[in-house]
Structures are given as structure tokens and as C-alpha cells.
Amino acid sequence: MSQEMDSQKESHPKYVYLFTEIEQAEKNVGGDWDKVRGLLGGKGANLADMTRLGVPVPPGFTTTTEACNAYLAAGEKFPADMWEQELAAVKEVEEATGKTFGNLDKPLLVSCRSGAKFSMPGMMDTVLNIGMNDAVAAKMVTRTGTRFVFDLYRRLVQMFGSVVMGVPDEAFEVVISARRKKAGVTSDSELTGEDWQVVTNRFKDIYRTFTHDDFPQDPYDQLKLATEAVFKSWNGKRAFAYRNAAGISHDL
């Protein structure tokens, strides 16, 4: 039974590649760079290739287009072992950076970005600053100041709310516009740390109003939901219409 389980585990496709695993990706598709781009997406393939060339790219990983297709084909369910592979990749990134999800002294913050074989600018979704939460923000303020921290945090809440949970982006923008007016300024860059802290708290209220849940504080919950949102965005109206207009296949 044990050998059978091990065999089943080994049979799972490799759904996640670290940027440092570009040679393995090439080997798995027969060395064809076009197929590497098909597997990792143009962005993922290029980041991995730059890492190989010694360009100072921050550590990261790519969840493959095969994982996305399998997710969509299964009725929006992660394929077996994919999430476990992603968790293992996070651990590798933590070791490479010396930072950890949820660590108050050295927190890891990551971006979850979309990619495809062909460039589709602005058509799919992105979530920035995953890993930020109330506790991390409170500790980070003591080192970097309020404005920097809460500008990061409000971006996460806004992008996560709109991209992942479907909160209307206008609800967030109204808050920023009102805060600019109250502060007597005309641009976001003129808002202070206190302004952004107020905006962030209001954003979390908006999130709660629309979703009936508090903004997730667990970085792994943030990452998992963001991964799903990017997968789903492949079939979003913008992306679908763009592929039709550009003559790009829908099964990439």
C-alpha cells in the first residue's frame, strides 16, 4: 500500500517551478523555448531565464499554465498536489530571502501575477503585497514609518478586495478621493501616513461590508485565494475578448 501511495504521489505533474529551475522546465518540454513559454508563460519564462543569466531577480516561482488548465477543467478546483507544491516553493523563497510569511521582524511580502504564452497587457489579474496583515503592519511601522507601511497595506486590501472577492473598485476609489479632499491635496503622493492609515481601516470596513468577512490575516490564505483569482481571470470578460480580438487560442 505504501509503495502504491508513493507511486501515485510521484505521478503528479510538476505544477510549480522555482525561477532557478529553468533547466528542468526546458528538459520537461524537450528543450523547446516556445514550449517553455507555453508552460511558464512569457513572464515566468523570462524571469527564470534572467535568473539563470545572473540578473538580480528576487527569488520566486511560477505555477504553470497546465495547473491553470487543470483547475478550470476540474470546475475550479486545484489539481492534486498543486497547492502542496506551491507551499514547498514558498519555503524555498523564505530560505533564499531570509524572510518568512507572517514574521514580524522579517516579513515576506510577495506579488501574485498573471502570465501567458502571449502578452495580454492588463487583461488578467495581479495582487500585490501578499503577506501584509495587521500585526506585520504594526511592527513594520516602527522601522519604516507609517506612510510607507499603510500605502502598502491599503494596496493589498484594495487589490485583494476587487480582484479576489469582487468588491467594486469604485467603493475604494471614493474613499481615497474623499481623503484627498479632506486633506486639501490633489494627488495621492501628498497624502500622509495618517491619511493612508485611515484609508486602510476604511478599506477593511468596505471589505467586511461586501464579503461579510474580515480581511484575511493569514498570508497563506491570501496567497491561495489570489492564486485562484488569477486562474479564474483567464476566462474573465476582458481576457476572453482580448484573445478573440488578437486571434489567441483560449486553451493556452
Side-chain angles (χ1 to χ4, degrees):
M1 176 65 75
S2 177
Q3 290 181 343
E4 181 180 347
M5 291 178 65
D6 289 342
S7 176
Q8 289 175 346
K9 185 175 182 180
E10 290 173 1
S11 69
H12 291 146
K14 183 170 175 59
Y15 288 123
V16 179
Y17 288 84
L18 297 166
F19 292 167
T20 54
E21 294 183 306
I22 182 63
E23 285 86 2
Q24 184 175 354
E26 287 179 324
K27 181 180 179 181
N28 288 351
V29 296
D32 186 327
W33 183 249
D34 188 62
K35 290 182 179 180
V36 173
R37 288 176 56 83
L39 180 69
L40 303 180
K43 190 178 299 175
N46 290 338
L47 286 168
D49 200 33
M50 287 190 291
T51 298
R52 172 167 55 186
L53 293 171
V55 177
V57 176
F61 59 88
T62 298
T63 305
T64 66
T65 58
E66 289 179 350
C68 179
N69 281 332
Y71 171 86
L72 296 173
E76 299 186 348
K77 294 181 180 179
F78 283 160
D81 202 47
M82 190 218 83
W83 178 239
E84 289 73 19
Q85 292 181 33
E86 199 163 312
L87 292 177
V90 170
K91 294 301 181 186
E92 293 287 344
V93 172
E94 288 178 333
E95 290 185 14
T97 61
K99 300 178 180 181
T100 308
F101 261 165
N103 186 292
L104 300 186
D105 295 311
K106 294 184 178 181
L108 176 68
L109 303 184
V110 302
S111 300
C112 184
R113 298 182 177 274
S114 60
K117 182 177 181 179
F118 299 106
S119 178
M120 294 167 45
M123 296 300 106
M124 293 175 67
D125 289 328
T126 293
V127 181
L128 306 179
N129 307 328
I130 292 169
M132 181 66 79
N133 58 28
D134 292 351
V136 169
K139 186 62 180 290
M140 192 181 290
V141 162
T142 64
R143 299 194 301 274
T144 63
T146 305
R147 191 186 190 286
F148 173 77
V149 171
F150 283 96
D151 191 17
L152 289 179
Y153 200 1
R154 65 94 182 180
R155 290 177 190 274
L156 171 61
V157 179
Q158 181 174 3
M159 298 184 83
F160 192 93
S162 59
V163 168
V164 178
M165 303 304 296
V167 178
D169 198 52
E170 295 79 7
F172 296 115
E173 291 299 330
V174 165
V175 172
I176 297 176
S177 296
R179 195 65 193 180
R180 284 199 305 263
K181 184 175 181 180
K182 183 172 183 178
V185 300
T186 58
S187 68
D188 292 354
S189 62
E190 296 174 278
L191 292 174
T192 66
E194 181 183 355
D195 291 323
W196 286 125
Q197 189 168 8
V198 171
V199 167
T200 301
N201 290 333
R202 183 70 187 110
F203 278 8
K204 289 192 288 184
D205 290 339
I206 291 171
Y207 182 94
R208 188 181 304 110
T209 297
F210 279 91
T211 67
H212 308 292
D213 280 315
D214 290 332
F215 181 77
Q217 297 295 301
D218 186 333
Y220 290 100
D221 288 342
Q222 295 174 9
L223 179 63
K224 189 172 188 178
L225 290 167
T227 300
E228 287 197 82
V230 171
F231 282 175
K232 291 176 182 177
S233 71
W234 175 254
N235 283 334
K237 290 182 179 179
R238 288 176 304 168
F240 204 86
Y242 183 91
R243 291 197 297 274
N244 280 338
I248 297 173
S249 173
H250 293 297
D251 63 357
L252 294 178

